[in-house]
Amino acid sequence: MKTKILSLLALVFMTITTLQAQVDRSIQPAPGPAPKINIGKPQSFILSNGLKVMVVENHKLPRVSLNLRLDNPPVVDGDKAGVSDLTGAMLGKGSKTITKDVFNEEVDYMGASINLGAGGGFATSLSKYFNRLVALMADTAINPNFTQEEFDKEKEKSLENIKSEEKNIKSVSRRVKNLLAYGKNHPYGEYVSKETITNVTLADVNKHYQNYFVPDNAYLVVIGDVKFDEVKEVITEHFSNWRKGLAPSISIPNAKNVQFTQVNFIDMPDAVQSEITVVNSVDFKMNDSDYHAALIANKILGGGSLESMLNQNLREAHGWTYGAGSSLRPNKDTQSLFTASTSVRNAVTDSAVVEILNEINHIRTKEISAEKLKDIKAQYLGSFVLAMEKPETISRYALNIELNKLPANYYETFLEKINAVTIADVKRVANKYFLSNNSRIIIAGKGSDVVENLEKIMYNGKKIPVKYFDKYGNPTTKPIFSKPLPKGITAQSVIDTYFKAIGGKNVVSKIKTLGFSGNMNIMGQSMGLSINKMNPNKRAMILTHPQAGVVMKQVFDGEAGYMMQGPNKRPMSAEDIAEAKNKNVMFEELSLDMSKVTLESMTSVKGEDAYKLKVTGSGEPEYRYYSAKSGYLVKTETTKEAQGQKMTISTEYGNYTPTSGIQFPFSMTTKQGPQTFGMIIKKATVNEGVTEADFK
Amino acid sequence: MKKSIIYLASLLLPVSIMAQKVTFEEYDLDNGLHVVLHQDNAAPVVTTSVMYHVGAKDENPERTGFAHFFEHLLFEGTENIGRGKWMGIVSSNGGKVNANTSDDRTYYYEVFPSNNLELGLWMESERMLHPVIEKIGVDTQNEVVKEEKRLRVDNSPYGSFQAEIKKLLFSKHPYRWTTIGSMDHLDAATLEEFQAFNKKFYVPNNAVLVVAGDLNINKTKKMVEKYFGSIPKGKPVPRVSVKENPILTEKKGKYNDPNIQIPAIITAYRTPSMKSRDAYILNMVSTVLSDGKSSRLYKKLVDEKKMALQVGAFGQNLEDYGMYMTFGMPLGDTKLEDLVKEIDEEIVKIQTELITDREFEKLQNKYENQFVNANSSIEGIAHSLATYYLLYGDINLINNEIDIYKSITKEEIRAIAKKYLNPNQRVQLEYLPKEETKK
């Protein structure tokens, strides 16, 4: 596999070999001389109401297009977010002189299209219909007919659309990214919701239209098979009575970056892929002196080709994704966002985050090769040339110069400025714009699959903090993850599996007595522990301090009981007696009323899948967790009131050890509020050594 | 290659009536490769493309996804283009490259500034003659394709409806599976199977080369011979010929998609090959039903009765058969079966009443517009030339297809709707959100 750069010699060689009809395929053909480019300029005129019109004649095909662009600065609509889109949706439905149906019918009849929106509009048709196209577009834009009926319809459609996006992982990710990166009081940070759309009225739409749909900052570009003089006449005739207004100008708040890089996680329980976006804000405009260098740096890092650093790493080397890229686009009104993003399967989410940060840091700290820089510059030359095929290119360039207040020769000097960018420039601007130490890493994905590893990611020698957000960008607590239940699992099957695992229901139901001895750790103190049980519900627990003797005793003899702590003896309450009577003391499962037991979910206990059962009783419900793998009971959890406060008590069971053919958990750790008690069993005895006397 | 001087002002020159026609030269090489050259010196751009007559329908039913997998695999490198170097060569020479696969064919193309025409030809000839097919390439692209499926299908709202419809419409024909295929099949495939697939389908006698744009015909012919002439001819490639029995009773299916909140109802009919006159007529039926805001379905269901958020009817045109579908998303409380009822009413109207003169003229204007726009880019022209030659078997359709549409009568529209769009001939798919697991 050889790819060589051609020299003049090889060119000659190729000519000779052509004659001999033998080709040396190992030589990559060299390019011919570069094509010469001349950028034309559109002709233009301005109407007295401020509308600026540009005309590009192109007679290759008998068609024409009109592009209307309103250059209004972005605004915050606040609790009426969505009024702008609704106004846009109401445009293009006929006018005060032509009903919607007649309008649509006529446009369709011509085989044309006219589409208007909040920011302007677009119309095309065969050039033979140019006059009528302009007339219809102007009429519907300047003279709209906003009816309550249409408004209600569009509002309902809006609400349906919002509903349909609820589970869309990409749109949730995008919404949260914009809100967090720009702030919720920024035009790009606010989002349209059910609530804000519901607030919008027809009067709001009218007001929005009066304020913003004005010719003062508007541009109309006409491209196609038409003559300038004709265009001037027709546009002037139909667009002159568009009234001037003055769109209100509002100051836009500054976007702020975070002080330290952090993960911002949104749980989407059905995701099979995680949407990852690393983002920071920067000031970035087309007339910045670093504009061309930044374009190049961004293209090298993640500019859409498979050659980019991000794709070479995440797609080509690791096969984690179909595509990874970065984006940095100029914005004349406010800050821009630099983003590096990808969608990857759940299992590699944490690795993908690490590698994205690695690549950003690579371009910030290491110099790119001269060859790479040369390649990228060649790509810019290529796209520039390829864009010349489209007549829209001329109008796009002219519009950009106007809107961004660029010098008139901006595009003539574009390639020259691209070629002037150095290796040092690329490194410098990477540090200026790709702020990897002040980034938000927005991740929308399936928490139960990915969060555990996300919380372990190390960056610059420290763990990256993980913060949790809901689908609307509100900070929230870390969700409790549950997994979908496999088919065929029921509360009964879980209990059956448990009995099988511990030795068989028949065997355990025949047990008469159980005795356990071991240790209990309370606040660093190790106490001797003894637990005795007698069928069906007698139990006794004794804690012995090595020096002080018995420090605690808890007893129930089937009818009554007490708790003794030191010298203080307290009888069991009526509720506790009632509960104790009904519970099988050996294995609670033997006395469960299955009609009061429901299978809740599959979740995680100590890193392993476990089925969560809910047992409803007279008091607080109890939750029992059984390992999906072994069938053993691994955790119980309930809420009890003590000293006027509600406390969660949970016990984890482990170290199942067989005695006389039955599996018992030899370690039990109970958490009660802030306190933890660990019990370790050393010995268990079945059906021996326990008498009635033990329960007095 | 001569210097090309482009003045965009040259576009000011008045255009002749014949300028709309796409002119081209075509011929065969000895090895069976069909070559089509289209010259247009207006912009300094040239497209080099190869369409291979192999798609998902040519696959072994136990190895679905091969054709699309190859589209990825054949960028892994050739004997003279190093692994991973393809994209860099294209971009560092100012070009762009892409490929796509369908049920019927696989298409590769590069667009370059015209001073790199020879490079484009070299690259495509390398791909045809001796691509490197090795385990490492197979393993890497296996993961990439899995990600593509997750992105485009599994994680994508309404991403699975195509697969479900195909399963319902086709029981024997290979159209019953999807282009992306089965991940299990790809995992089970051996390196030998991949190499055999390449040997069978990626041969010059199973392909068409199209070069379009700012070129010189004679110089290009010499370069084509230089790079493609010596590629050996392959064995004749068998064509799929599987016939389905007509659908006589309606079939129903259901599918739950976890990515959506709003259900959809899709009805689909199996229709004839895109080459048949009937297929053209069905395109017009679909335009009457759902193209544009004055179309029948849009007007009634979205506008007037406010029953649908979205509604449409469209055909998917393929070589052996077509699929004609209606698609509706309900608004508010509208039931799916009510949407179907309304759509059916409109179909019955087209089957029993002739469309009006005004509607008929509207159709003509729409298709004229489409025709004008179809050939507006060099890239688009190249793809059309390849498609009309290879799949339709009539390259002149690039200029003549509009005449077929112009010749269709109102009576034919009514008769064809009656022939193909009856309820007993169709399948219905309820495309529903995933039910929440009970708490």
Side-chain angles (χ1 to χ4, degrees):
Chain A
M1 279 170 268
K2 297 166 258 175
T3 56
K4 294 202 204 114
I5 310 293
L6 267 186
S7 66
L8 190 58
L9 209 57
L11 255 173
V12 171
F13 178 74
M14 252 174 43
T15 323
I16 295 171
T17 56
T18 310
L19 293 171
Q20 294 172 344
Q22 283 266 61
V23 57
D24 184 354
R25 290 183 176 281
S26 67
I27 302 174
Q28 175 178 321
K36 199 150 174 281
I37 303 165
N38 253 305
I39 305 169
K41 295 263 194 273
Q43 296 174 279
S44 58
F45 60 94
I46 304 184
L47 296 186
S48 51
N49 58 14
L51 178 67
K52 297 174 203 52
V53 187
M54 294 180 204
V55 183
V56 179
E57 290 190 33
N58 176 352
H59 302 277
K60 191 167 168 194
L61 295 168
R63 57 180 191 170
V64 65
S65 73
L66 297 161
N67 192 346
L68 176 65
R69 171 89 174 264
L70 305 180
D71 183 31
N72 293 325
V75 292
V76 170
D77 292 320
D79 64 354
K80 301 208 181 193
V83 62
S84 169
D85 294 330
L86 271 178
T87 309
M90 298 281 292
L91 287 166
K93 294 179 195 283
S95 69
K96 293 202 173 73
T97 44
I98 309 179
T99 67
K100 184 183 77 168
D101 283 349
V102 173
F103 180 86
N104 285 339
E105 214 279 330
E106 209 188 321
V107 170
D108 273 357
Y109 176 80
M110 294 190 291
S113 78
I114 299 181
N115 285 303
L116 292 184
F122 189 74
T124 64
S125 74
L126 296 173
S127 40
K128 67 183 177 193
Y129 293 124
F130 177 65
N131 273 11
R132 194 64 190 137
L133 187 73
V134 175
L136 287 171
M137 186 187 192
D139 196 16
T140 191
I142 300 169
N143 202 16
N145 186 21
F146 295 147
T147 66
Q148 190 65 47
E149 188 191 339
E150 282 301 320
F151 175 73
D152 291 336
K153 209 174 359 155
E154 288 300 331
K155 194 164 168 175
E156 190 177 353
K157 261 202 260 170
S158 246
L159 290 167
E160 285 286 342
N161 270 323
I162 290 173
K163 183 170 162 203
S164 75
E165 295 277 280
E166 257 172 50
K167 287 189 180 166
N168 186 325
I169 296 161
K170 275 196 194 311
S171 54
V172 167
S173 164
R174 191 174 36 234
R175 171 172 65 221
V176 176
K177 169 200 74 171
N178 285 331
L179 186 145
L180 293 178
Y182 279 113
K184 65 178 183 314
N185 296 319
H186 189 287
Y188 296 155
E190 71 172 1
Y191 61 88
V192 176
S193 71
K194 199 168 82 169
E195 291 72 33
T196 62
I197 285 278
T198 306
N199 286 339
V200 179
T201 64
L202 183 58
D204 293 324
V205 164
N206 269 310
K207 185 159 141 223
H208 190 94
Y209 172 82
Q210 308 281 2
N211 283 339
Y212 294 104
F213 211 90
V214 293
D216 306 51
N217 293 321
Y219 298 82
L220 182 62
V221 179
V222 182
I223 301 174
D225 181 28
V226 282
K227 297 275 176 53
F228 178 77
D229 292 332
E230 188 198 350
V231 174
K232 188 162 181 189
E233 199 182 305
V234 173
I235 299 287
T236 306
E237 182 191 340
H238 294 289
F239 276 92
S240 287
N241 58 347
W242 191 2
R243 259 180 341 158
K244 273 167 88 92
L246 198 60
S249 94
I250 295 137
S251 72
I252 303 173
N254 271 330
K256 289 198 192 41
N257 285 315
V258 286
Q259 288 209 305
F260 44 82
T261 294
Q262 53 186 257
V263 169
N264 295 157
F265 187 82
I266 310 126
D267 188 27
M268 304 291 290
D270 285 309
V272 301
Q273 279 188 320
S274 300
E275 294 293 317
I276 304 173
T277 312
V278 177
V279 59
N280 66 263
S281 59
V282 281
D283 275 298
F284 186 56
K285 313 229 177 306
M286 280 183 87
N287 51 9
D288 285 349
S289 57
D290 279 330
Y291 179 71
H292 301 79
L295 284 188
I296 286 181
N298 179 65
K299 203 166 171 65
I300 292 174
L301 175 65
S305 81
L306 277 185
E307 296 292 289
S308 73
M309 289 166 69
L310 288 174
N311 262 334
Q312 283 292 302
N313 183 328
L314 276 79
R315 175 170 156 159
E316 294 302 292
H318 290 111
W320 288 336
T321 177
Y322 187 60
S326 66
S327 158
L328 176 61
R329 273 187 243 156
N331 191 301
K332 62 183 178 66
D333 301 308
T334 180
Q335 280 84 29
S336 309
L337 293 185
F338 164 70
T339 60
S341 58
T342 186
S343 316
V344 298
R345 62 194 151 86
N346 298 353
V348 299
T349 303
D350 58 317
S351 312
V353 169
V354 169
E355 289 307 320
I356 292 175
L357 293 172
N358 280 346
E359 292 302 330
I360 297 176
N361 283 325
H362 194 106
I363 198 173
R364 282 165 52 105
T365 54
K366 300 196 175 28
E367 294 193 335
I368 55 157
S369 69
E371 192 189 332
K372 181 100 242 195
L373 186 58
K374 181 160 159 273
D375 276 359
I376 292 290
K377 289 178 180 177
Q379 286 179 47
Y380 271 100
L381 168 63
S383 329
F384 203 82
V385 170
L386 295 189
M388 294 286 108
E389 195 193 347
K390 295 187 171 55
E392 298 85 83
T393 299
I394 310 183
S395 64
R396 181 162 55 90
Y397 288 171
L399 209 52
N400 275 343
I401 290 174
E402 282 275 343
L403 294 174
N404 294 281
K405 306 200 183 352
L406 303 172
N409 67 348
Y410 186 84
Y411 287 98
E412 275 82 354
T413 58
F414 185 85
L415 289 175
E416 185 187 304
K417 293 220 160 81
I418 289 280
N419 276 321
V421 173
T422 66
I423 292 173
D425 285 332
V426 171
K427 187 165 168 219
R428 180 177 54 79
V429 300
N431 279 282
K432 183 175 174 187
Y433 296 111
F434 312 156
L435 308 178
S436 49
N437 293 325
N438 303 92
S439 295
R440 290 183 184 270
I441 305 169
I442 314 274
I443 303 181
K446 186 172 177 182
S448 58
D449 278 358
V450 311
V451 158
E452 195 175 330
N453 283 337
L454 280 179
E455 288 182 328
K456 296 186 188 145
I457 298 178
M458 298 294 281
Y459 180 62
N460 289 340
K462 283 192 283 194
K463 282 213 188 119
I464 300 185
V466 178
K467 296 182 187 217
Y468 296 90
F469 294 84
D470 67 16
K471 291 195 287 192
Y472 299 97
N474 299 309
T476 183
T477 52
K478 179 174 166 179
I480 297 166
F481 300 119
S482 66
K483 300 183 180 185
L485 289 160
K487 279 198 173 80
I489 304 291
T490 61
Q492 186 67 59
S493 75
V494 170
I495 299 293
D496 291 345
T497 307
Y498 167 74
F499 278 125
K500 236 200 231 146
I502 58 169
K505 191 170 181 182
N506 274 337
V507 175
V508 305
S509 56
K510 292 198 179 85
I511 298 174
K512 294 197 180 55
T513 69
L514 276 178
F516 301 100
S517 62
N519 289 323
M520 173 118 116
N521 267 310
I522 305 178
M523 293 180 295
Q525 282 273 13
S526 183
M527 314 265 180
L529 171 69
S530 138
I531 299 177
N532 285 323
K533 299 183 179 182
M534 182 181 278
N535 218 8
N537 52 19
K538 296 192 181 62
R539 63 179 155 87
M541 180 163 100
I542 302 174
L543 276 179
T544 318
H545 187 276
Q547 273 90 51
V550 173
V551 294
M552 196 212 61
K553 187 170 178 178
Q554 216 175 14
V555 170
F556 178 66
D557 68 358
E559 292 301 321
Y562 63 86
M563 159 110 115
M564 197 165 81
Q565 234 169 312
N568 300 319
K569 190 171 175 176
R570 193 164 43 88
M572 270 174 92
S573 70
E575 285 150 75
D576 288 352
I577 290 173
E579 208 190 328
K581 262 186 177 166
N582 290 321
K583 266 198 202 160
N584 183 292
V585 73
M586 306 295 181
F587 300 93
E588 228 176 290
E589 287 81 2
L590 286 171
S591 59
L592 279 179
D593 175 2
M594 289 312 285
S595 71
K596 297 210 159 50
V597 180
T598 52
L599 174 58
E600 296 281 291
S601 66
M602 185 161 83
T603 179
S604 207
V605 173
K606 291 181 111 171
E608 263 190 40
D609 288 354
Y611 300 117
K612 180 177 175 183
L613 263 57
K614 179 176 177 180
V615 182
T616 324
S618 51
E620 295 288 317
E622 183 193 39
Y623 296 98
R624 302 179 72 83
Y625 301 77
Y626 296 85
S627 163
K629 197 159 149 205
S630 62
Y632 293 141
L633 174 70
V634 287
K635 183 170 166 178
T636 56
E637 197 177 75
T638 189
T639 315
K640 279 213 160 63
E641 212 159 339
Q643 285 135 5
Q645 277 197 343
K646 260 202 179 148
M647 241 189 326
T648 305
I649 306 173
S650 74
T651 306
E652 283 178 3
Y653 306 87
N655 196 15
Y656 274 78
T657 308
T659 302
S660 309
I662 302 166
Q663 299 278 358
F664 295 107
F666 270 34
S667 95
M668 286 169 281
T669 310
T670 302
K671 288 195 187 95
Q672 194 168 305
Q675 292 178 309
T676 305
F677 317 103
M679 287 180 257
I680 309 280
I681 304 295
K682 295 243 158 55
K683 185 163 170 215
T685 47
V686 182
N687 291 338
E688 61 171 277
V690 175
T691 64
E692 295 278 349
D694 293 305
F695 304 103
K696 296 272 176 275
Chain B
M1 273 148 283
K2 66 175 168 46
K3 226 195 254 192
S4 304
I5 299 174
I6 307 89
Y7 293 92
L8 286 166
S10 72
L11 297 167
L12 283 173
L13 295 173
V15 91
S16 80
I17 303 161
M18 295 306 279
Q20 166 78 85
K21 277 208 177 313
V22 172
T23 56
F24 53 90
E25 262 199 53
E26 55 173 332
Y27 58 99
D28 287 329
L29 296 186
D30 288 340
N31 56 20
L33 177 69
H34 195 71
V35 182
V36 181
L37 306 177
H38 164 70
Q39 181 174 356
D40 179 346
N41 303 109
V45 167
V46 70
T47 298
T48 313
S49 67
V50 182
M51 187 178 281
Y52 292 89
H53 205 167
V54 58
K57 76 174 187 299
D58 298 290
E59 292 162 353
N60 171 346
E62 294 306 309
R63 292 288 182 261
T64 62
F66 253 56
H68 167 254
F69 191 84
F70 257 77
E71 180 210 306
H72 285 255
L73 199 56
L74 292 189
F75 280 95
E76 279 279 327
T78 72
E79 279 182 29
N80 293 308
I81 298 176
R83 179 165 188 256
K85 296 269 184 267
W86 194 288
M87 301 306 187
I89 294 176
V90 173
S91 61
S92 65
N93 282 284
K96 54 178 191 176
V97 59
N98 215 331
N100 48 67
T101 315
S102 76
D103 289 276
D104 297 321
R105 96 291 178 270
T106 315
Y107 185 63
Y108 304 85
Y109 67 97
E110 280 84 16
V111 183
F112 277 115
S114 44
N115 60 334
N116 267 316
L117 169 54
E118 186 162 5
L119 179 64
L121 287 171
W122 176 69
M123 295 184 87
E124 286 304 325
S125 72
E126 280 288 303
R127 195 206 304 273
M128 186 183 287
L129 175 61
H130 43 210
V132 169
I133 297 175
E134 280 175 340
K135 185 171 189 318
I136 186 172
V138 168
D139 289 345
T140 307
Q141 294 309 324
N142 188 309
E143 286 305 309
V144 173
V145 167
K146 281 186 175 133
E147 276 314 309
E148 191 182 343
K149 179 164 188 279
R150 283 185 192 111
L151 184 75
R152 289 207 208 279
V153 179
D154 302 334
N155 241 21
S156 176
Y158 307 100
S160 300
F161 90 85
Q162 254 242 355
E164 295 303 308
I165 288 287
K166 282 170 135 222
K167 271 190 260 182
L168 287 167
L169 276 180
F170 297 101
S171 51
K172 295 193 214 155
H173 193 284
Y175 285 158
R176 70 185 187 273
W177 59 78
T178 57
T179 307
I180 199 139
S182 149
M183 299 300 113
D184 290 339
H185 288 176
L186 291 177
D187 284 341
T190 63
L191 191 60
E192 289 70 37
E193 284 173 319
F194 286 114
Q195 286 162 345
F197 191 89
N198 186 60
K199 191 152 178 240
K200 182 174 178 187
F201 291 111
Y202 276 85
V203 288
N205 46 306
N206 196 37
V208 56
L209 165 71
V210 179
V211 191
D214 181 28
L215 53 82
N216 170 293
I217 295 274
N218 286 330
K219 288 196 177 146
T220 306
K221 281 184 177 173
K222 288 202 180 83
M223 285 191 271
V224 167
E225 175 59 38
K226 174 169 155 191
Y227 289 107
F228 288 90
S230 57
I231 300 181
K233 187 171 185 165
K235 293 206 181 76
V237 179
R239 296 263 73 96
V240 167
S241 100
V242 173
K243 295 275 173 275
E244 287 274 347
N245 294 327
I247 297 173
L248 298 171
T249 30
E250 187 181 33
K251 272 197 267 183
K252 287 195 178 172
K254 243 191 242 225
Y255 183 79
N256 295 85
D257 182 337
N259 296 305
I260 63 173
Q261 283 279 56
I262 297 181
I265 183 77
I266 302 154
T267 66
Y269 306 80
R270 199 196 310 131
T271 53
S273 153
M274 64 192 185
K275 298 178 272 193
S276 69
R277 187 178 173 79
D278 288 359
Y280 286 97
I281 302 172
L282 276 167
N283 283 345
M284 289 195 129
V285 171
S286 143
T287 304
V288 172
L289 281 176
S290 73
D291 186 24
K293 291 183 185 154
S294 74
S295 67
R296 293 183 180 192
L297 287 178
Y298 187 92
K299 239 178 110 166
K300 185 169 83 157
L301 290 170
V302 177
D303 243 3
E304 287 164 24
K305 292 195 175 180
K306 307 191 214 317
M307 288 171 73
L309 187 62
Q310 264 191 62
V311 71
F314 52 92
Q316 202 162 340
N317 294 319
L318 298 168
E319 222 182 323
D320 291 357
Y321 286 100
M323 297 186 279
Y324 187 87
M325 293 180 247
T326 70
F327 180 92
M329 279 168 71
L331 187 65
D333 290 329
T334 308
K335 291 206 194 65
L336 293 180
E337 62 239 30
D338 291 333
L339 269 186
V340 177
K341 205 161 141 280
E342 297 287 336
I343 294 174
D344 280 348
E345 261 176 43
E346 288 308 315
I347 294 182
V348 168
K349 261 197 218 144
I350 294 194
Q351 291 172 327
T352 46
E353 298 160 19
L354 294 177
I355 62 172
T356 64
D357 285 340
R358 175 100 176 153
E359 267 177 318
F360 189 65
E361 280 153 33
K362 189 178 15 170
L363 272 183
Q364 298 297 329
N365 280 334
K366 276 180 189 272
Y367 280 91
E368 194 183 336
N369 252 287
Q370 223 176 284
F371 176 68
V372 167
N373 288 311
N375 296 327
S376 57
S377 75
I378 297 296
E379 230 177 282
I381 290 175
H383 183 259
S384 295
L385 283 168
T387 304
Y388 286 127
Y389 170 75
L390 197 67
L391 302 185
Y392 283 79
D394 180 3
I395 200 172
N396 290 303
L397 283 170
I398 197 170
N399 293 315
N400 300 340
E401 202 178 52
I402 186 68
D403 296 331
I404 299 180
Y405 284 114
K406 284 190 174 156
S407 74
I408 293 171
T409 66
K410 289 193 275 185
E411 287 74 15
E412 280 182 289
I413 290 173
R414 180 177 60 184
I416 289 302
K418 182 87 201 106
K419 183 173 174 190
Y420 291 105
L421 304 182
N422 298 304
N424 69 311
Q425 293 171 295
R426 73 178 176 204
V427 306
Q428 253 198 67
L429 175 67
E430 276 182 32
Y431 198 89
L432 309 168
K434 193 162 140 199
E435 281 135 25
E436 299 285 331
T437 46
K438 288 208 180 60
K439 286 248 163 205

